[in-house]
Amino acid sequence: KQWYQRRVAITAGIEKQQGISNLTQIFIAEAMDFIKKEHEAGNPFFLYWTPDATHGPAYASTAFHGRSIRGTPYGDAVMELDHGVGVILNLLKSLDIHRDTFVFFTSDNGAATYRNAFAGNNGPFLCGKETTYEGGMREPGVAWWPGTIPSGVVTHQLGTIMDLFTTSLVLAGVKHPTDRIYDGIDLSPVLMDPGHDVIDRPVWYYRGNELMAVRVGSYKAHYWLWTEFGKDPLKFTFCPGQYVQNVTVHDQFNHTDQPVLFNIGRDPGEKYPIGPKSAEYKTAMKIISPIVADHRAKLVKGKPSLNYCDNAVQNWAPPGCEELGYCLPIPKSNPKLCYWDH
């Protein structure tokens, strides 16, 4: 309740035009309080720290406002986020638990390129958030565990956020239930041993229930291509300044019979499709096609938690809102099947 009151008080006061708020400082303080409390109690702990300052509208506290080289609220927000990570890592060191703590830094999607200069930049990768091109799906990943994970090492291991679930269970010595299939794998052998062989595994790119693409080794095969709805063949909100003929498209194109193939190792920007008549294409697809067929045959579809949309379940009147005079009327529940574009 106390945390909610602090959060609402600050959220209500975000200066969107200037991009100023000290909400990230509250997230930092909450993380530090949690770590100290669990450490003092002698408890192992799991902290999922997700400040939202880089999500629109971007903001930073007054101490970081206007300080970044980028000179935008987004740049300031990234600078403060970096500071926050440093504060948390320094706390682990000061408590002398850094050698017993696994830390992983990543993001949930690529930069929101549709916000242009007011968001991140995906560098050489094609498009951005809300697409299944590399710019929408590839994210930074940094593992930190002094004394266990060697520093300054880069691995070419393919990983996903789902792997963090499995990896965390293994590190904690917890066995996961065996009544279901888990998509994540244990990355700890590769993270801890730079000489360990890369784990051969596919990475699936889904949009809703549709398999859009798959990554196997250095190759990525697109079974569907779609960027976004629109009319101008050269203009894409999710891919500003980028156009690849027959790859960035407004209509949904089904390439299941002949997937569009890229070698991501030498073409991370997905600009040069490999010709389907080439020996390279045929050799790669002989490996990829059976993997996809096996995946489709064994896939057990779950029931998405977001399958039904209902405005009534949103946080209209959480505990503590009465004291702040910040409660909103809860609409009548009317669950209905959500509609998600392909």
Side-chain angles (χ1 to χ4, degrees), residues 7 9 24 32 39 62 81 86 117 133 145 154 159 162 197 200 237 276 328 334:
R7 187 179 190 280
T24 296
M32 296 180 70
H39 174 65
T62 53
L81 176 62
Y133 302 107
W145 190 353
V154 176
M162 292 180 288
D197 291 336
D200 187 18
T237 304
L328 298 174
N334 181 30

Side-chain angles (χ1 to χ4, degrees), residues 147-162:
T148 299
I149 297 179
S151 62
V153 176
V154 176
T155 176
H156 294 284
Q157 174 66 51
L158 289 177
T160 75
I161 290 179
M162 292 180 288

